[in-house]
Structures are given as structure tokens and as C-alpha cells.
Amino acid sequence: MPSLKQIRRRIVSVKSTQQITKAMKMVAASKLRRSQERITAFSAYSEKTTEVVRGLAAQISTDEHPLLLKPEAESKVLVIAISSDRGLCGAFNANVFKRTVAFIDEKQAAGTQVDIVTIGRKVNDLLKRRKASIVEHHTGIFDRLDFAKAASIANQAMDQFLAGEYQGVYVVYNHFVSVINQKMMCDQLLPLAAAPGETKVEETPEGTRLIDFIYEPNRGEILNQLLPQSVRLHVYRALLDSIAAEHAARMSAMDSASTNAKKAIGRLSLQYNRARQAAITKELMEIVSGAESLK
């Protein structure tokens, strides 16, 4: 049985850990609020642009722009895996790793080679141990994230796709749904595709008619500007989602750690009181026994 001194040391140690986890929870909550504000401010523009692009993709021929061109077969694809640079956020990084590995296994089973761009130190370390084909790694990108950083990553992926180096580009990340819910996503970034139900129609007396867009100054110039911008926005939104999901996961993990620390302190305090009571009883018995022996 541990001594009273050892139990006191363990109680002090757990209390110190509890103070740290509580502080980390508060910091994560503050950062999460700011991340949510950034997502809210960006969502309207991002969602409307995505809606317009998907509407265009549903109405135009895939050979009108190279970003819409679907290859006959995927011999080589690129996946952008987004994790965090730091740990202590529950299963956040492990989920990204598992989803990326599942994607690699699925593509390799179909005879497709997979290259990986990692964003965040954690998923990079995990994939390196698995001997994955990592062609590029970004770390520290979340410290001061801005649209320019996301655009740089997206531009490089588009250049490689247009050059024929890859027949598809995908992005794996944690989508922020709520504080207690983060959803793993594996989105196709390139080639751009129309989502089911995105085609716009209107009801007329003659029947249903497809809604077309008016292009100004011309169709080609609009597509050249809008389609690449849509890819950049998608990457930026994925990064914003990942940051918010990371803070939410860390806040939840630190809350659980603080609760567990409280329970541990309760158990150790009970153990300490029992040991102290036993020591006092033993001392009293020794005193009584000594007094009886003197009679």
C-alpha cells in the first residue's frame, strides 16, 4: 500500500494536470469561437460560388474547360490530407489517417497510384511510418491561415492536374458540424463535377425548361476565372473546417480529461483518508499497548 507521502504527491500531480487541462479547454473554446466566426463570414460566398459552378458544370460540355475534363481512367491521383500540427485532440488526427489509408487502399486495389500532400505534422508522421508516397508536406500553415496559403496549394494541384500528372485530386479533412460532431470528408477536388440535383429548371406554360446563364463578357472568360477560383475556395473552406473541428475536438478531449482528473482526485483523497485513519488507529493501539505493558 502506498504511503501517505506518496498519495499526497499523486494528488498534487493530478491537481496540476487538471489545471492544465482546464486551461487548454478554455483556450480551445476561445479559438473555436473565432474559427466559427470565420466560417460563418466565409460560408455565404463559398456556398453561392459552389452552387453556380455546379450549375454550370451540369449544363456545359466537359470539354469546354480542362478542369471539367474527366479522364478515361485514373492511373495516378493526388490526395491532400489535412490534420493538425499538435496533439491532445482526441481521435481527430487518427480519423484523418484512417480515412486516408482507406482511400489509398481503395485506389491501389483498382490499380491507381496515389501520391499524398500532407498538411499538418500529425498525419505526415503517421503516413511516413506506413511508407506512403508523400510528395509534399506543409506545417505551421494554421498559425496564420489566410486565403493566399490555400490558393497556393490549390494552384499547384491544378497545375499538376492540367499537366496530366494526375487524373484526379481529392481532399481528406474533418468537416466541422458542431462542437460535439465532426464528420470525416473525402471530397473530389478535380475534375470539377456537377452534383446530382444541381441543374436549375423553371416551370413554364409550355413545360419544364432548363435555366441558362448569361455570360458577361463571354462564356470562356467567365469559366477561366470562376472554375479555378472554386477550387481555391474549396481548399480554403476545408482548412477552415479542419481548424474549427480541431479546436472542438481538443475542447471535448480536455473536458473529458478534466472530468477524469476530478474522479481520480476523489479516489486518491478517499485512499489518503483511509490510510491516514489506519495510521492514526495504529498509533493509538501502540500507545494503549505501551501503557498496558507499564502496569
Side-chain angles (χ1 to χ4, degrees):
M1 184 176 180
S3 65
L4 289 173
K5 187 175 182 180
Q6 289 175 325
I7 297 174
R8 280 199 302 267
R9 284 179 176 174
R10 289 185 64 187
I11 291 174
V12 171
S13 175
V14 174
K15 284 184 176 179
S16 299
T17 302
Q18 186 185 40
Q19 290 177 344
I20 294 172
T21 56
K22 284 184 175 180
M24 291 184 67
K25 177 187 173 183
M26 294 176 62
V27 171
S30 176
K31 290 183 177 180
L32 174 60
R33 181 181 56 81
R34 292 197 296 269
S35 297
Q36 285 180 286
E37 290 173 353
R38 293 182 69 180
I39 291 176
T40 301
F42 180 72
S43 291
Y45 175 67
S46 174
E47 291 172 2
K48 193 61 180 178
T49 303
T50 301
E51 178 185 343
V52 172
V53 169
R54 286 183 170 182
L56 284 171
Q59 298 183 38
I60 64 178
S61 174
T62 56
D63 59 2
E64 289 196 46
H65 196 280
L67 294 180
L68 298 171
L69 189 60
K70 296 180 181 179
E72 295 181 359
E74 288 184 338
S75 60
K76 191 175 182 182
V77 298
L78 179 71
V79 57
I80 302 172
I82 304 175
S83 73
S84 68
D85 291 325
R86 303 175 182 87
L88 299 177
C89 48
F92 176 86
N93 294 306
N95 289 339
V96 176
F97 171 70
K98 291 177 182 178
R99 185 65 185 88
T100 304
V101 169
F103 176 86
I104 294 172
D105 292 342
E106 177 186 346
K107 289 297 182 182
Q108 288 181 342
T112 303
Q113 182 181 343
V114 181
D115 285 347
I116 308 169
V117 172
T118 57
I119 300 176
R121 183 170 57 86
K122 289 298 181 178
V123 73
N124 184 72
D125 293 344
L126 292 169
L127 288 171
K128 280 174 66 177
R129 294 174 194 167
R130 198 181 183 273
K131 308 297 183 182
S133 177
I134 300 174
V135 295
E136 191 175 346
H137 169 53
H138 299 272
T139 186
I141 198 171
F142 300 112
D143 294 338
R144 290 187 178 181
L145 178 64
D146 55 22
F147 183 73
K149 294 179 180 179
S152 175
I153 296 171
N155 289 339
Q156 184 169 350
M158 283 188 286
D159 290 342
Q160 292 171 325
F161 176 79
L162 294 174
E165 186 174 346
Y166 300 109
Q167 288 74 50
V169 179
Y170 300 82
V171 57
V172 176
Y173 64 100
N174 279 282
H175 171 59
F176 176 77
V177 179
S178 67
V179 175
I180 60 173
N181 186 13
Q182 295 89 46
K183 181 180 179 182
M184 280 306 308
M185 303 293 291
C186 183
D187 295 343
Q188 179 178 317
L189 201 60
L190 292 169
L192 293 169
E198 289 291 342
T199 304
K200 302 297 182 180
V201 297
E202 65 175 349
E203 297 294 335
T204 66
E206 293 78 17
T208 302
R209 184 179 66 181
L210 187 68
I211 297 177
D212 198 3
F213 292 92
I214 298 175
Y215 302 91
E216 182 64 36
N218 60 69
R219 187 187 188 105
E221 189 170 339
I222 292 297
L223 292 178
N224 287 334
Q225 293 293 328
L226 192 58
L227 297 185
Q229 184 70 355
S230 174
V231 177
R232 300 183 192 107
L233 291 174
H234 198 146
V235 173
Y236 186 50
R237 176 59 190 264
L239 291 171
L240 290 178
D241 262 345
S242 183
I243 292 176
E246 176 193 349
H247 294 323
R250 181 170 290 109
M251 188 175 71
S252 178
M254 292 302 100
D255 181 62
S256 297
S258 299
T259 301
N260 292 336
K262 183 178 180 180
K263 293 179 180 178
I265 292 170
R267 290 194 300 268
L268 289 171
S269 297
L270 182 61
Q271 185 180 3
Y272 176 81
N273 291 334
R274 286 175 176 173
R276 184 169 175 269
Q277 185 178 13
I280 293 172
T281 302
K282 182 180 179 181
E283 290 177 1
L284 288 174
M285 290 178 64
E286 290 175 350
I287 292 172
V288 172
S289 299
E292 287 294 329
S293 65
L294 292 176
K295 292 182 180 180

